[in-house]
């Protein structure tokens, strides 16, 4: 009987380890030793992958022609943070790329709780901004003789850009195929490369990256850059907030300003929590952008290989047997030749930021 392989990602993305130096493959991310092992249940259906991180069934194809060995052009950063991505949340409660939350997880049987995450993110950011502008920056200006106008303008710019990108990424159309391409929905013409049909939208999303629970929206062609800019802004807010909080806490201990100590401590806790949330996610997406790899492709292991013990050669990881998949999990390596969109770090970053995305004929095939 064929084995139905279930990929259980309880802890989000993790790490890829480098293959021995004698091999010719560089590393990307692996997906977590404990989170990605394949528990099996025997069925008579054709084999597919069911991924709780992506939930997109991917047929298994067995190929006798593994990619030719080559020397990679650059090394990719390793992700050392478990449960960093939003996929670590329960997909039954929050939904994912393929489906909304299950009815039994709706509050009172009807209320969708998915907006609570983006509301929490937005409200906490606004409250943090108010505390920073009304309390902390005046204290910094008074204690350290810094121009209040200057630091206030810089802070407002960072908060404004971050909240603007957050709002846009959450409420904008992520890039559905245009209405004149409806024939693609019934299979009469092929979908654009990298497009994907999400449950949130009637038409497939061009250059689909992932479904973000923190924004309750898909990230695709038209809001991917804003999503990335939002992550950078949140990280900058967290780092700046920690620096200001630490300076003020030390100063207040020496000068005895205990009346605002509680607010400073609370804001410091918020800044640390924000750093722990945004930092690992940004680190992951930095690696993806530098390789021109979409999160949906990364979840499916489209461009990853491992050296099969049975065949003695590198093969796509999705072609491995269950036993080999589990035993070689820490040896998955990113194969640049399998990614036709990867043209090197600099060109990939240029394409991500500079290719026009609003042109009428833009399909997101880059």
């Amino acid at each position: 009987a064929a084995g139905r392989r279930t990929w259980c990602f309880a802890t989000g993305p993790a790490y890829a380890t480098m293959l021995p130096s004698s091999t010719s493959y560089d590393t990307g991310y692996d997906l977590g030793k404990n989170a990605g092992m394949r528990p099996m249940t025997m069925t008579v259906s054709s084999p597919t992958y069911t991924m709780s991180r992506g939930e997109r069934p991917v047929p298994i194809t067995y190929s006798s022609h593994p990619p030719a060995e080559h020397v990679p052009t650059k090394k990719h950063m390793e992700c050392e943070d478990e449960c960093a991505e939003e996929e670590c949340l329960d997909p039954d409660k929050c939904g994912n790329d393929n489906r909304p939350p299950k009815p039994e997880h709706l509050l009172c049987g009807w209320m969708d709780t998915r907006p609570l995450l983006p509301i929490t993110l937005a409200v906490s950011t606004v409250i943090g901004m108010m505390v920073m502008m009304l309390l902390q920056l005046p204290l910094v200006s008074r204690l350290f003789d810094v121009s209040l106008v200057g630091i206030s303008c810089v802070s407002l710019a960072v908060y404004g850009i971050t909240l603007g990108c957050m709002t846009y990424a959450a409420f904008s159309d992520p890039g559905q195929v245009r209405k004149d391409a409806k024939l693609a929905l019934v299979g009469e013409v092929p979908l654009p490369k990298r497009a994907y049909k999400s449950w949130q939208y009637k038409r497939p999303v061009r250059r689909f990256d992932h479904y973000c629970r923190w924004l309750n929206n898909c990230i695709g062609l038209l809001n991917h850059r804003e999503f990335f800019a939002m992550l950078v802004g949140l990280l900058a807010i967290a780092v700046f907030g920690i620096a200001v909080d630490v300076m003020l806490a030390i100063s207040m201990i020496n000068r005895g300003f205990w009346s605002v100590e509680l607010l400073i401590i609370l804001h410091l806790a918020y800044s640390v929590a924000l750093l722990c949330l945004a930092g690992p996610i940004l680190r992951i997406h930095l690696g993806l952008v530098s390789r021109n790899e979409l999160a949906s492709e990364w979840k499916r292991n489209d461009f990853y290989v491992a050296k099969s013990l049975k065949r003695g050669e590198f093969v796509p990881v999705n072609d491995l047997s269950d036993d080999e998949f589990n035993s070689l999990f820490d040896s998955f390596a990113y194969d640049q030749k399998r990614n036709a969109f990867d043209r090197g770090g600099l060109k990939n970053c240029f394409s991500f930021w500079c290719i026009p995305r609003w042109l009428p004929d833009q399909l997101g095939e880059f």
Side-chain angles (χ1 to χ4, degrees):
R4 184 174 183 84
R5 301 164 182 171
T6 305
W7 225 351
C8 296
F9 286 86
T11 60
Y15 339 60
T17 56
M18 244 166 80
L19 294 177
S21 56
S22 59
T23 65
S24 58
Y25 283 91
D26 199 358
T27 61
Y29 301 100
D30 95 55
L31 300 174
K33 182 176 179 180
N34 297 322
M37 306 297 277
R38 290 179 178 174
M40 291 180 58
T41 56
M42 300 303 293
T43 70
V44 294
S45 61
S46 59
T48 60
Y49 289 118
T50 304
M51 301 179 290
S52 61
R53 291 183 60 198
E55 293 285 344
R56 183 180 179 184
V58 180
I60 301 174
T61 57
Y62 293 89
S63 171
S64 59
H65 303 287
E69 295 191 4
H70 64 283
V71 178
T73 57
K74 66 185 184 69
K75 296 180 180 179
H76 301 302
M77 63 192 300
E78 296 179 353
C79 177
E80 300 177 353
D81 305 280
E82 292 187 4
C83 202
E85 264 286 25
E86 51 269 20
E87 287 78 7
C88 66
L89 300 174
D90 187 352
D92 289 342
K93 296 181 180 180
C94 303
N96 60 13
D97 292 351
N98 277 342
R99 56 182 172 83
K102 291 186 176 180
E104 57 266 29
H105 292 289
L106 297 178
L107 187 62
C108 300
W110 62 272
M111 181 178 178
D112 189 353
T113 59
R114 286 178 297 124
L116 294 180
L117 280 177
I119 290 174
T120 300
L121 179 62
V123 170
S124 63
T125 304
V126 172
I127 293 176
M129 177 182 67
M130 294 175 63
V131 173
M132 178 67 71
M133 301 301 300
L134 299 178
L135 173 65
Q136 292 169 292
L137 292 187
L139 282 175
V140 169
S141 176
R142 185 174 62 178
L143 295 175
F144 301 100
D145 194 23
V146 180
S147 171
L148 179 59
V149 175
I151 56 177
S152 296
C153 289
V154 173
S155 298
L156 280 175
V158 173
Y159 277 104
I161 292 173
T162 302
L163 288 170
C165 290
M166 184 187 302
T167 303
Y168 179 85
F171 292 101
S172 67
D173 183 335
Q176 297 180 81
V177 296
R178 298 184 179 276
K179 294 182 180 180
D180 54 6
K182 284 185 178 179
L183 291 177
L185 300 179
V186 294
E188 296 186 17
V189 295
L191 281 174
K193 296 177 182 178
R194 313 187 103 177
Y196 176 64
K197 178 65 174 68
S198 170
W199 62 271
Q200 278 191 308
Y201 293 94
K202 295 181 179 180
R203 302 189 301 277
V205 176
R206 293 167 289 170
R207 208 174 186 274
F208 177 85
D209 189 72
H210 72 289
Y211 166 71
C212 178
R213 296 186 178 94
W214 288 100
L215 298 176
N216 192 26
N217 197 10
C218 292
I219 304 302
L221 176 69
L222 300 184
N223 63 355
H224 197 176
R225 291 184 294 200
E226 289 76 13
F227 169 78
F228 194 95
M230 178 199 72
L231 290 178
V232 174
L234 290 175
L235 185 64
I237 290 172
V239 172
F240 182 67
I242 291 174
V244 170
D245 292 334
V246 170
M247 288 191 301
L248 290 179
I250 295 174
S251 176
M252 285 187 297
I253 290 175
N254 294 332
R255 304 191 184 205
F257 295 163
W258 297 100
S259 59
V260 294
E261 182 75 17
L262 179 59
L263 283 177
I264 299 299
I265 293 176
L266 290 176
H267 190 271
L268 177 61
Y270 160 76
S271 298
V272 171
L274 184 60
L275 178 65
C276 294
L277 171 68
I281 298 177
L282 177 61
R283 187 178 184 184
I284 291 166
H285 285 276
L286 278 171
L288 295 176
V289 170
S290 69
R291 299 193 299 274
N292 200 355
E293 180 182 15
L294 299 177
S296 56
E297 298 164 342
W298 172 66
K299 296 173 191 176
R300 297 192 303 263
N301 281 323
D302 285 355
F303 310 131
Y304 291 82
V305 296
K307 190 168 185 178
S308 172
L309 301 177
K310 296 179 180 179
R311 307 183 196 182
E313 56 191 6
F314 285 95
V315 298
V317 299
N318 290 334
D319 289 358
L320 296 171
S321 65
D322 291 326
D323 291 339
E324 283 193 304
F325 185 99
N326 291 333
S327 63
L328 298 175
F329 205 79
D330 293 331
S331 300
F332 289 178
Y334 173 75
D335 181 4
Q336 185 178 8
K337 289 188 67 176
R338 294 183 59 81
N339 186 357
F341 303 100
D342 188 349
R343 300 185 298 160
L346 291 178
K347 291 183 178 179
N348 292 337
C349 292
F350 179 85
S351 298
F352 180 81
W353 291 107
C354 299
I355 287 183
R357 302 190 177 211
W358 290 94
L359 299 178
D361 58 347
Q362 179 58 265
L363 299 178
E365 298 177 332
F366 61 87

